[in-house]
Amino acid sequence: MATPSNTGHFITNQYVDDEKTRVGTNAQTQMVWMIGEEVKYVCDPPFSPRGRRVCQSDGSWTEFFCVLVTDCSQVKTCNNAYGDGEYWIVLEKYNNARVKIYCHDMSSDTPGHFVSLQEDNYSVMPTGCFSSYCGRTNFTKIKINLNNLQINTDHTFAEWSCKPGPYGRVMGCSSDAGADCGTVQVNVEGTSFKVSSESTLTGPADIVFSSNHSVMHGKCNGRCSACYSAHQGVRLRFAFSVKEHGTPDEDSANMTICV
């Protein structure tokens, strides 16, 4: 929905506004928008403006819309000058919730969607158990599917000491004595998201959630056991949900303006 900063109507191919040049008709005093002048509109959140409302010589107006920007491809469509960075994105499937998303690889046809992590997010895999994983992996951004808010383990923004590990799951200890046990921490404080209440760790895991579900810490017990992530009972899935409170500051991301 758009709200004009000035309101009015047409009189003989001129736009009338109560704050513009006054014109008298039928004993009424009114204001006129001149050809080439622009009416400034403000779109109600979470909509973004597209186009400009300019008075033309034939008495018509150039096109203007308020649109929902629902992914990074639409950010790029709105303004091809936009590059990699933080943007406010609207999730229609989630009651038009507005979330902060890092758009990556905007020069491509299919930019990726990431959540910038403000706190420590890591997995520590024991050595000697699995050839695919070992050591500590630190994540600074994590890839997210905006259709279902499930997490895709992607190491574009990760660093690791041995071999890159997964996000949100972990393996067990490398010895019966419990030494070198696998641990995992998901911490989405300072983002638009929290850990979904339907995501957890399965297997011999000790799990602690913060009261607002923004933090999950897990330890996997048992020699070389696997503590898999699970979402809605499906193994090897992990998901976020939209946070209702404690969301990022307004100026921490770009509001998309379409041209």
Side-chain angles (χ1 to χ4, degrees), residues 2 39 41-43 48-53 62-66:
V39 177
Y41 277 81
V42 177
C43 293
S48 295
R50 173 176 290 176
R52 298 169 60 230
R53 201 69 159 159
T62 55
E63 290 188 337
F64 175 89
F65 304 96
C66 288

Side-chain angles (χ1 to χ4, degrees), residues 20-22 32 36 39 64 72 74 76 95 101 108-109 116 136 142 147 158 164 166 173 204 216 225-226 236 238 242:
K20 294 295 293 180
T21 306
R22 296 186 176 275
V32 177
V39 177
F64 175 89
C72 293
Q74 290 188 16
K76 183 178 177 180
N95 297 319
I101 293 293
S108 72
D109 293 333
S116 294
R136 179 178 176 121
I142 191 68
N147 291 320
C173 310
M216 182 194 83
S225 298
L236 298 180
F238 194 80
V242 176

Side-chain angles (χ1 to χ4, degrees), residues 13-104:
N13 289 344
Q14 292 177 313
Y15 187 82
V16 177
D17 187 278
D18 293 338
E19 297 180 6
K20 294 295 293 180
T21 306
R22 296 186 176 275
V23 174
T25 58
N26 299 327
Q28 293 181 352
T29 303
Q30 298 174 313
M31 310 297 291
V32 177
W33 279 99
M34 306 305 294
I35 293 169
E37 290 193 271
E38 179 179 358
V39 177
K40 297 290 187 180
Y41 277 81
V42 177
C43 293
D44 294 337
F47 291 86
S48 295
R50 173 176 290 176
R52 298 169 60 230
R53 201 69 159 159
V54 179
C55 182
Q56 301 184 98
S57 60
D58 63 357
S60 65
W61 293 86
T62 55
E63 290 188 337
F64 175 89
F65 304 96
C66 288
V67 298
L68 288 175
V69 178
T70 59
D71 59 36
C72 293
S73 293
Q74 290 188 16
V75 171
K76 183 178 177 180
T77 299
C78 273
N79 189 335
N80 199 47
Y82 283 134
D84 291 11
E86 304 282 356
Y87 296 90
W88 291 111
I89 301 292
V90 178
L91 303 180
E92 289 186 277
K93 288 180 62 176
Y94 298 90
N95 297 319
N96 284 343
R98 193 180 65 165
V99 296
K100 180 181 174 181
I101 293 293
Y102 183 86
C103 294
H104 174 62

Side-chain angles (χ1 to χ4, degrees), residues 138-259:
N138 295 310
F139 297 87
T140 55
K141 300 183 194 297
I142 191 68
K143 195 169 189 178
I144 188 169
N145 184 328
L146 297 184
N147 291 320
N148 53 25
L149 304 188
Q150 291 186 19
I151 301 305
N152 302 319
T153 294
D154 179 287
H155 296 100
T156 302
F157 298 98
E159 295 181 346
W160 51 92
S161 62
C162 180
K163 294 181 181 180
Y167 185 83
R169 59 188 172 96
V170 72
M171 302 301 177
C173 310
S174 59
S175 71
D176 290 329
D180 193 23
C181 285
T183 57
V184 60
Q185 178 167 288
V186 174
N187 188 334
V188 287
E189 289 282 5
T191 75
S192 298
F193 301 95
K194 59 184 178 181
V195 179
S196 171
S197 60
E198 297 181 284
S199 287
T200 189
L201 290 176
T202 61
D206 297 328
I207 314 164
V208 177
F209 289 95
S210 64
S211 59
N212 62 1
H213 253 251
S214 289
V215 184
M216 182 194 83
H217 188 273
K219 175 185 175 184
C220 192
N221 304 298
R223 184 171 183 178
C224 292
S225 298
C227 294
Y228 294 108
S229 59
H231 179 66
Q232 296 178 336
V234 180
R235 201 172 71 171
L236 298 180
R237 291 185 181 177
F238 194 80
F240 292 162
S241 58
V242 176
K243 188 183 295 181
E244 297 86 6
H245 307 288
T247 55
D249 293 337
E250 179 82 18
D251 59 0
S252 66
N254 296 301
M255 174 65 74
T256 305
I257 299 176
C258 304
V259 296

